[in-house]
Amino acid sequence: MNRFGATILDADGLVLTPEECAFFRDANPFGFIVFARNIDTPDQLRKLCDQMRDAVGRDAPITIDQEGGRVQRMRAPYWAEWLPPLDFVAAAGAQAEQAMYLRYRLIAAELRAVGVDSNCAPMVDLAGDQTHDFLRNRCYGTEPAQVAALGRAVSDGLLAGGVLPVLKHIPGHGRATLDSHFDLPHVQADLGALKAHDFAPFAALADVPMGMTAHLVYDALDDRPATLSPTVMNVIRNDIGFDNLIMTDDISMKALDGSLEDIATGALAAGCDVILHCNAPLADRRRVAEAAGEMSDTAQRRAEHALACRKTPDDIDIDATRTQLETLLNQA
């Protein structure tokens, strides 16, 4: 059995350096993630994805943040530009579920065409009056049932296109009033309110192959960030019922304090399966990969289950699908 490294890692630029190729070969990360700095043209991105897979000698998953709006790494002129999800849902009105399915089926087609086969979506954090601006228009709505249904449409659209969805940010980031890229948010709601509201969309989507943690503190549960909290991870696994692969959000975000090694080992000890580490020098990536080591037996099982969900895309007429989506939006 090929034991995966317990990491998802990125690259510095448009091609892998010889040093990165050698590092990835040795570290054998479970997968990779690409950012705007890694993207120029379709041919270039396809070659980069091939390089990443060649470095580890297998069909490793390659993920991206392709939500639409501000969080969209692949952009015009080669790829479609999308409204932020909250604005798109509002524009689609009563047709929002079907429109979201078609939107993410089209996104999946663009991703697969360049070798990317995972997307960090659906994001089923609930929008509220207090939701920080960095997150709010990335949300799908304010009500758990509505957001769960839209999240299901997103997940189904991606899976139909051969792209693995990543459910985020477990167990719910919508109440945060700070941007976890720079600060550590605290959520003060009681556990009953969290279960009935914030956690509900994640419970409804507990079968999605992969999930991503939230870097924030739930004061009703623990004084540690969710990513580093065995208590919160127990809630995710047992109360929410998510038993699939859980990656951390990027551990270089400023919400988490301490050395990269301590954060990586702390997240794995808390119950995360794989460490997402981005936007750092090669020396830091080496440190994280060494600290994380190989996946546990349980994490490996979850990783293999996720990969088994990566299917050959169904047949689709791209132009007809675009027309269908435009018609839906025009009818709204």
Side-chain angles (χ1 to χ4, degrees), residues 82 88 95-108 149-161 314-316 321 324-325 328:
W82 298 97
F88 181 87
Q95 309 296 327
E97 284 183 46
Q98 188 177 4
M100 285 287 268
Y101 175 88
L102 295 173
R103 167 183 166 126
Y104 283 89
R105 180 62 187 85
L106 289 168
I107 287 173
L150 294 169
R152 177 63 66 190
V154 171
S155 177
D156 287 348
L158 292 171
L159 285 168
D314 60 9
D315 291 331
I316 184 176
T321 303
Q324 183 183 2
L325 178 56
L328 277 179

Side-chain angles (χ1 to χ4, degrees), residues 50-119:
D50 288 344
Q51 272 194 301
M52 288 173 163
R53 293 188 171 108
D54 288 345
V56 295
R58 56 184 166 82
D59 190 15
I62 299 175
T63 196
I64 194 170
D65 291 295
Q66 192 75 353
E67 299 174 6
R70 283 180 298 109
V71 182
Q72 179 174 335
R73 312 306 186 199
M74 293 163 49
R75 311 204 75 110
Y78 298 109
W79 299 284
E81 292 284 343
W82 298 97
L83 285 173
L86 195 63
D87 299 338
F88 181 87
V89 168
Q95 309 296 327
E97 284 183 46
Q98 188 177 4
M100 285 287 268
Y101 175 88
L102 295 173
R103 167 183 166 126
Y104 283 89
R105 180 62 187 85
L106 289 168
I107 287 173
E110 290 191 326
L111 298 182
R112 281 291 298 234
V114 293
V116 177
D117 58 5
S118 174
N119 191 8

Side-chain angles (χ1 to χ4, degrees), residues 31-66:
F32 300 93
I33 186 168
V34 291
F35 291 92
R37 69 173 181 277
N38 305 123
I39 299 169
D40 183 18
T41 68
D43 284 346
Q44 169 272 322
L45 181 53
R46 195 177 302 112
K47 289 175 183 176
L48 175 62
C49 291
D50 288 344
Q51 272 194 301
M52 288 173 163
R53 293 188 171 108
D54 288 345
V56 295
R58 56 184 166 82
D59 190 15
I62 299 175
T63 196
I64 194 170
D65 291 295
Q66 192 75 353

Side-chain angles (χ1 to χ4, degrees), residues 284-304:
D284 287 353
R285 283 175 276 168
R286 292 185 192 279
R287 291 164 53 203
V288 168
E290 183 174 353
E294 292 184 335
M295 283 186 166
S296 68
D297 290 345
T298 301
Q300 182 83 13
R301 172 183 61 77
R302 291 173 176 144
E304 290 171 353

